[in-house]
Structure formats: C-alpha cells, structure tokens
C-alpha cells in the first residue's frame, strides 16, 4: 500500500508522543498532502488564534503516492495558520524528506504546543525523540544538516529545518529540506521558530510496497524514456525553470520594477546559464530539473550545495527590483537558502520599498541611509542581512509589504501587489487573466499553482486543451478572457491541482506543464492502492480539500470580500506589448469570482454551503 495507516502526533509543550491509527476509508476521503493536513488542522485548532501562539498546529503530510518508486511524486505539504496572512498557511516541497517520513512508517506528523528551549525531532522508524538543539540554534542550514547527520551517525538522514530567519520570526521564513527544496511560502518557518523547533531529522528503513509494483515500474520506465523527447519536459531538464525569464519577457509579462513594467532590458543577463552546473532532481524523478549553480571569483563565492535560483527568484529579486546583475541575484538566493527566507515575498517587499522610495513616500532617514532605488544592486545583500537579523529597516521589512505599508502610510498602499496579505508570485494577471482569479481565490494568498496557467489553453493544439480534454476542457480559451469559459477552466483545473497536491505530484512532471498524462496518473493510484477508483472520485477528493481550506479561512474571519486583488493590477502596464491596455476591470474579476462561487457551492460567508459539505462527506464541519 502507498500509506501506512499511522499518524505521528507530538506535543512539544508536554513532550507527549502518540501514534494515531487510521482506517483505509480515511485515505479514500483525505488521501494525503493537504487533505490529511487540513483534516488535522481543523480538528486540532480553534476559531481565531494567533499563528505564532503554541496552540497553532503545524502539520507535515506527504502525498498519497509519495515514497513509492513512482515517477515525480516526491512532495509533501506543511500546513498551519500563516503568520504572514492570518489565513491558511500551506506550502509544498519536493526533495527527499517526504518519502523518508513515509518510509519511517508515518503518513503525517502533527506537531502541537511549543518547547521552552530549542529542540529538534529525531524520527528513526518508530523511535521518536525530542532532543535538545541549543547547540544548533543560530546556525545556518548547511552547518545544521552536517552536524545532525554526524550526531545521528547516518549520512542518509533527511533534515527539514529552519535557519536564523525562522528563529528570528521573519514572517516569510520558510522550511527547507536537503538545503535546496523549500516549503517556500506563507511563513511556515516562523511557526516552527515560535515552537522552538529547529529541525526534524528523519530516517526510515521501511519500504512502501504498491499493490501492483509491475505497473508502477512500467510507468516509471515509460516516463524516463520520454523525458528527453517531450518538448516541455526536455526543456525543463536542459534549462530548468529559469528558461521562463526570456519567454515571459517576450510575452510582455515579466514582473519588472514592482510589477509596473512587463519587459526588462536585463532579461538576457538574468537568464544566462553561465554559472550553472549539472541539474539535480528529487526522489524518484526522471525529469531532473532543479538548477544548481556555483561561483568562485574572489568577490562573490556561492556554494553549490544550496542549489540555485529558479524562475520565481530570478524575477522577484532581479527584474522586479530592476536588477540584472546575475551574480548578485545568485548570491542573495544563497543567503536566503542558508537562512530560510521566501525569495518571492522578500523580492516583492524590497521592490515595494523601492517604489515607495522612488515616489518620496520614504527617504534615507527610513532606510538606514540606503538608496532603495530600482536597479541599485548594492543594497540587496546588506538589506537581506538586516531582514534576517531584524535590525534597523530590516525589522519592518521582516513583516512583509502589507504590514510595512501600515508604517509607510496610506499613500504607499496603492503600490502593494498582494492578495490576502501574501505578495504575488512572478506571473502578471494583466497578460493571463486566469492568474488574477487564482490570486484572488486561493485560500493561502496569491498562489500561482492554485490552477493551471492560461497559455497552455490558448490554442486548440495547446498542451492544456489536448491533455485536459478528458476533464471537459476541449476548447481554446483566450488568455485575456474573463468570462465563463475562463471560470470553468480555472474551476476544473483548481480541483485538478488540488488532486496533484493530495497525491504528492510535482507539477513539473505532469500535464499540462510536463509529460505525464492524466490516465497514467490514475493508473499509478490504482497500482499503488489496489482501489477501484476513477478520476471522478479523485476530483471529489480534490474538491473536499479545497472546501476544508475555505472552512478554515472562514473560521479565521476571511469572508467573500477577501477574495480580491490589490489595485495595482487594475492599472495598465507602462512598458511592453501590453503598455496602456486595461485587460480587465475590478467588476470583471468580481463577476468571475461570483461565477466560481456558484460552481464550487460557496456562499457569501466565504465558506461552503451546507449541501456541498454534506455532498463531500464533510458533515463534521457543519456548525
Ligand atoms: S520535475 Fe523537477 S522539481 Fe519536480 S520532482 Fe522532478 S526534479 Fe523535482
């Protein structure tokens, strides 16, 4: 089976360690990933609480297929209440940690309470210990991983951890495993820091056995043989996500100068592969797309063990801050990885401060004398160091752009680019409107993988239309459309992406972004579990998880009016092919949100209707 039937529960306040057993029916409803994560978050939390208080549960949950020798399913989710947004905190990562937790015998880890002193968790099969971590506190991630592997006497130990940014409560600190795989968004590293939990070291000697190992192997072999033939997966393998810089710039949607311009003169330089080494992969993934870089030229030294900047980082810290100096961006990425900072929110918070500086809303007296101007690469490294330590201007910028705007004053708010308090990722809704819906509707704030992206569905022969026809998406939809065809596309594919997260699927291995088609994913679920299942049952599980997320947010006070975009997106871009064009207005977005609500069975409280909850077997959520 692809699941173990056991959930590990650790209370850091009273040091209690328990194992809860779950029947097979639980896995059919909640599967894995955010399904199981949300189940325990809702069961273990109350209404309206602070994300940094001990009560906030912190859940680590691998996908249903994670841990099997199946293609591109290495992922696990971390779920909690986000200290950045006050809404649901949810972020997935690949790498090796999720599969190791499954091999140690657990389908999820539920952490509650907080320790009085720094600790780490050691999980070696079913031997679970809470150990002192005073000797690790304050250390960067590379050193912590090295020390823990030495201390535990096993180089194969997988370490998920926080760096100094998480310890210091930077509200967008993240969690890293294997030094370069991140649960990047929503500030979940700050929750771990507030619990005084430095790391979770896992080693499992078990082996998950699928019901039909032969079929899994067959699909794995097919995938490995096709990677270099398929146009999208071979592109990812050869160039990784940074290849997106040139493509998105050519389309006129590369976030530049705090999302004011859609094109960047330094795009070629940012996309250069000059410092790239052979890419790395995640557990059991034949695509192997993770970028690795190294620099050793005297003034800048970058260690390859921290991976390299992906598309999102290059755009957030590069073009969006007007900076084209690749070496500086690579170095800042490494500093973020050593300290566990979300590079998207970091880049967006800096670009917001730069815009406020350029407009005269703040001045050198507010920035410790730094000239925060677009293109000033010299401020990046000192600024990030101040943010990690929460010193000077870094104290305020450690809270993210929305909270910084409260201090900068009302004039600054029109330059925010966020949704539900989380800064937008590097995709502009003004050139692909589905992203506007994704940012507005996502329960965890602006998120670019709430659903599939518009360009895959722009033409009849596009990958999206060909691969998603079985879901009923048989026609091309204009990337600028904001009518019913776009709402249907976002609704169906948001449920699909929810299924991906339940199963531990990496979006860069599967359609529409890559090569593995939907029928082979279903075959893998059947081979793993032996269930007589179908895409209908999987999509219902996807809807169930989305509904639980809505209900969590409703309990935390997020209603219908929270599903919106910041006003920046209603102003036209100032440069590039979309310069001066208004592609949609606030009214158009509101209409589309209304339509989505009707399809999803949501109501004006922002939550889910009683009928829908009953249909999804979520009666236990009805007040
Ligand atoms: S496609 Fe890339 S990111 Fe996804 S699992 Fe494979 S190596 Fe990791």
């Amino acid at each position: 089976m692809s699941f173990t039937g056991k959930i590990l529960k650790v209370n850091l306040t009273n040091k209690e360690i328990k194992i809860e057993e779950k029947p097979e029916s639980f896995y059919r409803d909640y599967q894995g990933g955010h399904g199981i994560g949300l189940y325990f978050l809702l069961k273990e939390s109350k209404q309206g609480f602070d994300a940094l208080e001990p009560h906030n549960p912190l859940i680590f949950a691998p996908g249903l297929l994670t841990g099997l020798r199946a293609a591109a399913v290495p992922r696990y989710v971390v779920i909690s209440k986000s200290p950045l947004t006050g809404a649901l905190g949810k972020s997935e990562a690949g790498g090796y940690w999720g599969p190791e937790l499954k091999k140690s015998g657990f389908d999820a880890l539920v952490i509650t309470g907080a320790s009085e002193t720094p600790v780490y968790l050691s999980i070696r099969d079913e031997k679970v210990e809470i150990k002192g971590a005073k000797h690790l506190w304050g250390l960067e991630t590379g050193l912590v991983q090295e020390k823990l592997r030495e201390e535990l006497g096993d180089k194969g130990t997988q370490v998920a951890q926080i760096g100094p940014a998480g310890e210091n409560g930077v509200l967008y600190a993240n969690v890293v495993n294997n030094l370069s795989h991140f649960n990047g968004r929503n500030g979940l590293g700050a929750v771990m820091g507030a619990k005084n939990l430095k790391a979770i070291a896992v080693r499992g000697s078990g082996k998950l056995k699928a019901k039909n190992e032969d079929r899994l192997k067959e699909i794995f072999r097919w995938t490995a043989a096709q990677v270099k033939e398929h146009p999208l997966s071979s592109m990812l393998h050869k160039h990784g996500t940074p290849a997106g810089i040139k493509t998105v710039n050519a389309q006129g949607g590369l976030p530049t100068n705090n999302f004011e311009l859609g094109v960047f003169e330094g795009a070629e330089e940012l996309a250069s592969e000059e410092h790239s080494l052979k890419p790395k992969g995640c557990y059991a993934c034949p695509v192997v797309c993770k970028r690795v870089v190294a620099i050793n030229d005297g003034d800048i030294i970058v260690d390859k063990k921290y991976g390299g900047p992906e598309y999102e980082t290059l755009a957030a810290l590069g073009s969006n801050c007007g900076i084209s100096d690749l070496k500086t961006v690579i170095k800042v990425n490494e500093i973020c990885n050593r300290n566990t900072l979300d590079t998207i929110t970091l880049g967006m918070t800096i670009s917001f401060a730069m815009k406020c500086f350029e407009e005269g809303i703040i001045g050198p007296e507010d920035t410790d004398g730094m000239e925060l101007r677009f293109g000033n690469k010299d401020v990046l490294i000192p600024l990030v160091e101040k943010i990690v330590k929460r010193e000077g201007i870094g104290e305020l910028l450690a809270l993210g752009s929305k909270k910084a705007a409260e201090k900068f004053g009302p004039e600054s708010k029109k330059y925010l680019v966020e949704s539900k308090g989380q800064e937008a990722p590097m995709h502009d809704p003004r050139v692909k409107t589905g992203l506007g819906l994704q940012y507005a509707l996502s329960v965890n704030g602006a998120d670019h993988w709430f659903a599939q992206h518009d360009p895959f569905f722009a033409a009849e022969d596009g990958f999206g239309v060909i691969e998603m026809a079985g879901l009923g998406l048989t026609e091309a939809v204009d990337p600028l459309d904001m009518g019913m065809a776009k709402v249907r596309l976002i609704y169906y594919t948001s449920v699909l992406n929810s299924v991906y997260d339940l199963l531990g699927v990496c979006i860069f291995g599967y359609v529409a972004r890559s090569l593995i088609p939907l029928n082979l994913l279903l075959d893998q679920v059947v081979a793993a579990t032996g269930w007589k299942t179908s895409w209908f049952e999987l999509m219902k599980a996807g809807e169930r998880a989305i509904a639980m997320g809505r209900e969590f947010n409703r309990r935390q006070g997020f209603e219908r009016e929270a599903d919106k975009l910041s006003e920046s997106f209603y102003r036209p871009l100032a440069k590039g092919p979309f310069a001066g064009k208004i592609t949609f207005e606030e009214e158009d977005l509101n209409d589309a949100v209304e339509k989505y609500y009707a399809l999803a069975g949501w109501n004006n409280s922002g939550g889910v209707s009683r009928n829908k909850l009953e249909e999804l077997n979520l009666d236990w959520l009805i007040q």
Side-chain angles (χ1 to χ4, degrees), residues 72-75 94-95 181 236 280-283 285-290 506-509 514:
V73 285
R75 289 172 82 80
H181 301 273
L236 278 166
K280 277 190 162 178
C282 302
Y283 177 83
C285 180
V287 180
V288 188
C289 78
K290 297 289 290 178
C506 174
I507 215 114
F508 296 122
S514 191

Side-chain angles (χ1 to χ4, degrees), residues 344-365:
I344 299 177
T345 284
L346 173 72
M348 288 294 293
T349 301
I350 293 174
S351 73
F352 168 72
M354 284 175 161
K355 181 64 188 168
C356 292
F357 193 97
E358 300 264 8
E359 293 294 327
I361 295 168
I362 57 170
E365 65 285 2

Side-chain angles (χ1 to χ4, degrees), residues 252 260-263 431 571-583:
E260 290 225 318
L261 318 174
V263 290
V431 308
R571 290 193 294 269
L573 283 158
K575 202 171 163 192
F578 288 87
K581 291 183 191 153
I582 304 248
T583 48

Side-chain angles (χ1 to χ4, degrees), residues 12 124 243 249 370 409 452:
L12 291 174
R124 304 177 71 73
N249 194 49
M370 283 188 269
Q452 300 281 319

Side-chain angles (χ1 to χ4, degrees), residues 246-290:
K246 281 196 262 186
T247 316
V248 179
N249 194 49
Q251 289 164 348
L254 184 65
T256 303
N257 291 10
N258 200 44
F259 273 83
E260 290 225 318
L261 318 174
V263 290
F264 183 51
E265 279 164 13
E268 284 283 335
E269 191 183 339
L270 276 183
S272 159
E273 296 181 11
E274 191 189 341
H275 307 289
S276 297
L277 307 175
K278 201 169 161 219
K280 277 190 162 178
C282 302
Y283 177 83
C285 180
V287 180
V288 188
C289 78
K290 297 289 290 178

Side-chain angles (χ1 to χ4, degrees), residues 305-316:
K305 72 182 176 206
Y306 294 100
E310 300 287 344
Y311 165 80
E312 297 291 329
T313 303
L314 290 168

